[in-house]
Amino acid sequence: MTNPASTADTRPDLEMDSDLDNSLENIDDLNYATLTEALEQTVFENFDDGLYIGMMSGTSLDGMDAVLCQFGTDTGSEEKTQQPMRLLASYSQDFPLRLREVLLALCQPNGVQTLTPTADEPNSELDWFGWASREYGEFASEVVNTLLTQADTDVELVLATGCHGQTVRHRPQMGFSLQLLDANIIAERTGISVVSDFRRRDMAVGGQGAPLVPAFHQALFATPDSTRVLLNLGGIANITVLPATSDNSSNQPDDVLGNVVNNVEGNVVGYGVAGYDTGPANLLLDAWTALHTDKGYDAGGAWAQSGQVIEPLLNQLLEHPFFAKPYPKSTGREDFNLAWLQDELQKFEQASAVIRYSSADVQATLTELTAISASAQINKFIDANGNTSVYVCGGGALNDYLMTRLQAHLPHCTVETTASLGLNPTWVEAVAFAWLARQTLMGETGNLPAVTGASKNVVLGQVCFA
C-alpha cells in the first residue's frame, strides 16, 4: 500500500495553470488536495482505522518498550468521556550492552571520555553521537519488527510509529533538548513512517518540551466523576492532575495551569489539567543499586525496605534547587545523576561524621526522596474531603515499597497502578507516543501550553515517510 501522506499535496490552496492542469488530467493517484483525500483512497477510511506503534526508552535506560494499538472515537455509550484505545500487542527488549554504555556516557557532558573505543569505534563526542543515533535506529527497527511478528500483524496495517528517541541532553533553560535517533533507519528497515522529534516544536514556542504525556493522559483517563492524578515513575517522576470534567466543563487542552487559585495553605483549589516533573525516581534508585549489587534495579524495593531512611541526608537532598522551582518545570540526568549523589554523600559525611549508615540505608533514603517529592506536589491538588485517586505508571509502579511509601504520604486518596484503569503501567508512555504520532498525522496539536510553558498549542514532531 502506498503511504497515503507521501502522495498527498497538503497545499489545498495551490493553484495550477490550465496547461499544466490539462497535461495531468489523467493522473488520479498523485494529486490529492489534502492528506485526508489521500487517506480515503487507501484501505483506511480515516486515521482511526489504522494501527499505530508507540516506542519509549526512558531516562532510566532499562530497555525499549513498544506497543501496537488502535484508537477510536466511539465509546459505545451516549457520553464520550474518554478517548478509547485498544492495546493489541506489546514487547520490551533490553538495550545491547555497548549501546547502553554509550548512551549513558552521552547523557553526561564529556561523558564519552570514560569510554575506551575499539579500533573501529569513534573517539570524539560528536562521532559517538552519530554512531549511537544509527545503532539506536537499528535496534529500534528490530524491536518494531519483532513486535509485528509476535502480533502476526501485516506492516501495511500500521499508519505510523511514534518514536521518542533517547534524550541525551535536556536544557530547557537554554531552549533545546536533544533526542538521539535516526528515524530514517527505522522507516527504511520497517517500511513504516516514523514520527519523532516531539519536543523541539514546543520549545520553539517557548515551552520546555516536557512533559508531553499529560495531553494523552487527559484524552484517555479524564473522567467526570472524580479527580485523577497520574504519577509516572520512570527515570524521572512526573505528575498529571486531571480534575473532574463535570466540575471543569471548559477544560480544553489549553485550559491548564495558567489559571490556578491557591488557598491559604498554598494548595491549589482551582485549576485545569496540571502536569510537570517532580524529581528523580528510578534514575537514582537503579544507579545506586547497580553500583552496590549485582542487579540492575531494586526488585520490589526489597533492598530499600531492608534499610533505614537517613533523615539528615534526606533533608539535604531535598535542598536541591529543582524542588523549589515553580511549575512548569522539567528535569533529567543533567540535574540528578550518580555523580551528584556521590557529591552529596561526600558533603554529608564531612558534616555528619558521627552518623553511620549502610548502602541499603542510602537506597531507603532515595526511595523516600522520590515518594516525598512526588507526594508533596500531589497534595497541593488534593482536597481532604474530595474524591481523588492516584494512579501510578512506569517501572516504579512495580516497586512495592515505593508504592507503600507513596500511600503513607497521600493519606487522603487511594494509590493504585494504571492497571486499575485498564492499561498496564509498563506500557503507558509507549502508548502515549503512539497517540502523539496519530495527533501529528491528523494535524492536531499535542502539547499543553501551560504544562510546558509554551506560548501556544502546536503540532508536535517530524514525519519520516516510509
Side-chain angles (χ1 to χ4, degrees):
M1 181 191 75
T2 302
N3 186 298
S6 66
T7 60
D9 185 346
T10 58
R11 296 169 291 173
D13 57 346
L14 180 68
E15 295 183 1
M16 303 175 67
D17 65 58
S18 58
D19 291 338
L20 182 59
D21 186 44
N22 291 335
S23 67
L24 297 176
E25 62 182 358
N26 293 324
I27 300 179
D28 59 3
D29 288 333
L30 300 177
N31 289 292
Y32 303 120
T34 66
L35 187 62
T36 300
E37 284 188 27
L39 193 61
E40 289 174 350
Q41 305 303 315
T42 73
V43 297
F44 306 111
E45 293 183 2
N46 55 53
F47 286 102
D48 297 323
D49 291 334
L51 308 183
Y52 292 85
I53 290 174
M55 308 189 75
M56 184 63 186
S57 59
T59 313
S60 58
L61 272 166
D62 53 357
M64 185 175 292
D65 298 328
V67 296
L68 177 68
C69 48
Q70 184 173 30
F71 301 94
T73 56
D74 186 3
T75 64
S77 62
E78 293 183 1
E79 290 190 17
K80 298 178 181 181
T81 59
Q82 65 178 19
Q83 183 78 27
M85 184 277 302
R86 294 174 60 209
L87 179 59
L88 305 177
S90 58
Y91 177 68
S92 184
Q93 187 169 326
D94 292 342
F95 277 104
L97 293 178
R98 186 55 166 171
L99 176 58
R100 185 176 190 274
E101 182 182 14
V102 173
L103 291 174
L104 285 169
L106 286 167
C107 285
Q108 300 299 320
N110 304 312
V112 297
Q113 294 177 0
T114 63
L115 299 173
T116 303
T118 61
D120 58 346
E121 287 184 331
N123 55 16
S124 73
E125 188 166 55
L126 192 57
D127 289 341
W128 274 119
F129 187 95
W131 178 92
S133 296
R134 185 177 181 88
E135 290 299 312
Y136 187 102
E138 297 286 3
F139 174 60
S141 302
E142 293 177 11
V143 171
V144 168
N145 289 328
T146 301
L147 172 71
L148 292 175
T149 297
Q150 293 188 355
D152 193 23
T153 299
D154 192 328
V155 67
E156 295 292 309
L157 298 176
V158 183
L159 275 174
T161 294
C163 187
H164 170 263
Q166 186 62 47
T167 300
V168 293
R169 197 77 83 249
H170 184 64
R171 300 290 196 196
Q173 71 277 14
M174 299 175 66
F176 76 88
S177 185
L178 293 180
Q179 280 68 53
L180 183 150
L181 165 70
D182 189 342
N184 300 277
I185 295 291
I186 304 176
E188 188 63 31
R189 302 290 186 266
T190 66
I192 302 170
S193 296
V194 179
V195 186
S196 62
D197 195 11
F198 290 96
R199 298 195 187 278
R200 291 194 294 177
R201 184 60 184 275
D202 179 83
M203 303 187 93
V205 291
Q208 299 216 356
L212 295 179
V213 294
F216 165 72
H217 289 160
Q218 181 187 33
L220 195 69
F221 297 124
T223 174
D225 303 322
S226 64
T227 295
R228 288 176 172 177
V229 179
L230 276 295
L231 170 60
N232 176 58
L233 295 175
I236 296 295
N238 52 71
I239 61 170
T240 303
V241 185
L242 303 170
T245 54
S246 59
D247 294 332
N248 192 5
S249 59
S250 64
N251 187 21
Q252 299 301 316
D254 57 351
D255 177 29
V256 286
L257 282 174
N259 298 307
V260 299
V261 179
N262 298 318
N263 63 16
V264 292
E265 288 81 20
N267 293 336
V268 179
V269 295
Y271 55 91
V273 176
Y276 52 94
D277 290 350
T278 63
N282 298 330
L283 189 159
L284 293 179
L285 296 175
D286 292 352
W288 187 254
T289 299
L291 184 65
H292 290 277
T293 74
D294 59 353
K295 300 175 182 177
Y297 63 96
D298 184 10
W303 188 40
Q305 193 168 8
S306 71
Q308 297 291 324
V309 174
I310 312 165
E311 292 291 344
L313 175 60
L314 175 63
N315 293 333
Q316 177 184 319
L317 298 178
L318 285 169
E319 292 177 0
H320 191 293
F322 175 79
F323 297 118
K325 283 184 178 180
Y327 45 73
K329 60 180 181 177
S330 57
T331 187
R333 284 186 180 273
E334 298 79 12
D335 291 323
F336 298 101
N337 52 63
L338 185 58
W340 168 79
L341 174 60
Q342 291 172 322
D343 285 344
E344 290 296 317
L345 286 171
Q346 185 175 21
K347 294 176 187 177
F348 176 73
E349 290 170 356
Q350 291 172 350
S352 308
V354 297
I355 297 179
R356 296 289 180 263
Y357 62 87
S358 68
S359 56
D361 295 336
V362 174
Q363 186 74 359
T365 305
L366 293 175
T367 303
E368 193 71 4
L369 176 68
T370 296
I372 201 168
S373 57
S375 60
Q377 296 303 311
I378 294 171
N379 277 321
K380 292 178 181 291
F381 298 89
I382 290 177
D383 180 351
N385 300 316
N387 182 12
T388 303
S389 298
V390 175
Y391 297 95
V392 184
C393 58
L398 307 180
N399 187 322
D400 297 332
Y401 179 59
L402 177 54
M403 292 287 286
T404 299
R405 297 309 304 149
L406 284 166
Q407 184 66 83
H409 291 295
L410 295 166
H412 300 299
C413 57
T414 60
V415 178
E416 305 174 82
T417 75
T418 54
S420 299
L421 299 176
L423 183 55
N424 186 298
T426 304
W427 311 116
V428 173
E429 282 206 296
V431 173
F433 281 95
W435 183 84
L436 285 168
R438 176 175 174 267
Q439 290 292 100
T440 302
L441 287 193
M442 293 174 67
E444 298 287 344
T445 60
N447 66 330
L448 293 178
V451 166
T452 65
S455 62
K456 62 180 181 178
N457 294 99
V458 288
V459 179
L460 303 177
Q462 298 187 34
V463 184
C464 181
F465 293 112

